[in-house]
Amino acid sequence: MRSEPMPMRDLLHRPIRDLRISVTDRCNFRCTYCMPKEIFGDDYRFMPGSELLTFDEIALITEIFASLGVRKLRLTGGEPLLRSHLPTLIERLTKIDGIEDIGLTTNGLLLKQYAESLRNAGLRRVNVSLDALDPQLFGRINGRGIEPSRIVDSIEYARQAGLKIKVNMVVEKGLNEQEILPMAEFFKERGITLCFIEFMDVGNDNGWSLKWVVTKQEIYQILSTRYELEPLESHYFGEVAQRYRYKDGSSEIGFITSVSESFCSTCTRARLSSEGKLYTCLFASDGFDLRSMLRSGADKSQLTSAVRSVWEARSDRYSDERTEQTARTRNKINMSYIGG
């Protein structure tokens, strides 16, 4: 029988339940809101392999987080499918006592290649980022000229392999809001949940301004011109997306409203960067270096105490406090580094 974790809550009484693990800082896209190619050019120096956490180190840290209350994992990047032998890591993580759910976020370009091995390793859920169906627009957004048909093909192949797919769309004013209805129609017909994400000021390189944000309410109004929607209850405390379904029962949609309707008060999520720093907020300026502790010989008890101390000192509520000025002046870790 699994023993229940010792209670661990932060200064705002939020428990820890979710851990996002970045397995690489590399990506094969150069999306304008995440890794703009003007900054992340072909000569950009990513981390050498020796700086990345090994699978043994990731598994050990995950065991510690599970002992403190984490039940859900999500593997991110960069683009996580660029990490060699990723299914091997997933298979190990599924066996950790206390872990009940593992997801993966990907741009989908390599998903067709790895879908079956991911499923065989124990992965069941994948979130695929896709911001437009118009080929020219999507090619411009991803910075590589990749056509959306390649991502759609990977999605369908992954579904056939037995993976549950959810699609994420970042909506930016003046860029792709005209794609809201085409995307909704396309994935509604296929019974795939589509989640609309408000454009966020993650990092300092994406030119964020409030004027570029299309809010949940604005997206909802656009959808309401064609569809009837009804709200759904949250699955669990700390669920990020606000969930709705089409009244005809065909599928669901979701909204991630970090800008217009912040959800800091129920945030149960920690983040582990690919070189082993622990971050307690997506908009954090710095993290706690677990890798240095690991590689200097700290034992599991010492690491557990360190993680507990970091979480119990947590008071992050950036989205509650966001202003145009903080977005411009606060130094924040890039999304490609911390995992979105």
Side-chain angles (χ1 to χ4, degrees):
M1 179 182 295
R2 186 182 77 228
S3 60
E4 287 300 312
M6 292 164 43
M8 186 171 79
R9 293 180 179 267
D10 67 12
L11 293 176
L12 300 178
H13 308 291
R14 297 168 295 190
I16 189 168
R17 289 290 180 268
D18 310 81
L19 178 64
R20 295 181 81 97
I21 303 171
S22 176
V23 295
T24 180
D25 62 331
R26 298 174 184 268
C27 189
N28 43 13
F29 278 14
R30 291 295 181 268
C31 294
T32 53
Y33 55 80
C34 182
M35 294 179 69
K37 61 184 177 182
E38 294 79 12
I39 296 169
F40 296 86
D42 292 337
D43 59 347
Y44 186 83
R45 297 187 65 179
F46 292 97
M47 290 180 211
S50 61
E51 292 188 11
L52 301 178
L53 288 179
T54 67
F55 287 178
D56 285 343
E57 290 169 334
I58 292 173
L60 175 58
I61 291 173
T62 302
E63 288 173 7
I64 290 168
F65 274 95
S67 75
L68 294 170
V70 163
R71 295 292 171 260
K72 294 168 63 69
L73 304 178
R74 177 162 293 278
L75 303 183
T76 70
E79 170 47 52
L81 295 182
L82 290 175
R83 181 72 186 256
S84 298
H85 309 295
L86 187 64
T88 301
L89 174 63
I90 290 170
E91 188 172 9
R92 290 187 63 174
L93 296 179
T94 62
K95 297 175 181 177
I96 292 176
D97 190 28
I99 298 302
E100 299 170 353
D101 180 77
I102 300 178
L104 178 133
T105 298
T106 173
N107 60 36
L109 189 61
L110 300 175
L111 186 56
K112 188 172 183 178
Q113 179 179 343
Y114 292 109
E116 291 183 2
S117 58
L118 293 169
R119 179 66 169 75
N120 291 338
L123 188 71
R124 296 295 179 265
R125 299 188 304 105
V126 177
N127 284 28
V128 179
S129 301
L130 181 65
D131 301 314
L133 291 171
D134 177 85
Q136 288 189 334
L137 176 57
F138 182 63
R140 180 155 55 93
I141 291 172
N142 65 55
R144 296 299 199 204
I146 303 297
E147 294 198 357
S149 59
R150 295 181 62 181
I151 311 306
V152 170
D153 286 347
S154 288
I155 288 172
E156 187 53 40
Y157 188 90
R159 290 181 77 192
Q160 294 296 323
L163 293 171
K164 183 177 181 180
I165 304 294
K166 181 184 293 183
V167 173
N168 292 337
M169 177 187 180
V170 175
V171 185
E172 184 177 343
K173 190 168 292 183
L175 180 66
N176 66 335
E177 71 263 49
Q178 71 277 11
E179 290 287 295
I180 291 170
L181 284 174
M183 287 279 288
E185 180 179 6
F186 186 85
F187 289 106
K188 178 179 184 294
E189 290 176 352
R190 288 157 179 79
I192 294 175
T193 297
L194 173 62
C195 191
F196 297 99
I197 301 175
E198 294 178 345
F199 178 42
M200 294 181 286
D201 54 319
V202 182
N204 299 102
D205 299 327
N206 67 3
W208 186 89
S209 170
L210 190 59
K211 67 183 180 181
W212 304 125
V213 176
V214 184
T215 67
K216 175 242 180 163
Q217 189 59 39
E218 291 171 316
I219 298 170
Y220 185 93
Q221 289 173 351
I222 292 170
L223 292 168
S224 296
T225 63
R226 185 175 299 178
Y227 304 110
E228 288 189 272
L229 302 170
E230 54 187 9
L232 296 171
E233 294 293 325
S234 298
H235 284 308
Y236 53 89
F237 178 84
E239 184 172 24
V240 171
Q242 295 182 22
R243 298 168 51 239
Y244 289 74
R245 68 181 169 205
Y246 297 100
K247 281 196 173 180
D248 64 10
S250 54
S251 60
E252 292 185 15
I253 62 167
F255 300 93
I256 295 181
T257 62
S258 174
V259 178
S260 68
E261 300 174 26
S262 70
F263 39 82
C264 295
S265 63
T266 59
C267 179
T268 62
R269 181 175 295 175
R271 288 172 166 82
L272 182 68
S273 71
S274 49
E275 95 291 27
K277 287 188 177 179
L278 167 60
Y279 293 88
T280 55
C281 179
L282 177 60
F283 305 96
S285 298
D286 50 46
F288 183 85
D289 191 353
L290 289 174
R291 188 192 66 186
S292 290
M293 287 189 67
L294 271 166
R295 296 185 181 179
S296 62
D299 61 25
K300 197 169 183 177
S301 175
Q302 292 170 316
L303 288 162
T304 301
S305 295
V307 170
R308 176 180 288 278
S309 295
V310 170
W311 188 265
E312 291 182 343
R314 176 189 190 234
S315 61
D316 304 283
R317 48 190 295 267
Y318 175 81
S319 290
D320 286 346
E321 303 167 334
R322 176 193 286 107
T323 65
E324 287 273 7
Q325 183 176 1
T326 62
R328 287 194 307 271
T329 60
R330 176 167 167 166
N331 184 40
K332 301 183 292 294
I333 302 300
N334 282 317
M335 182 159 57
S336 59
Y337 170 86
I338 198 174

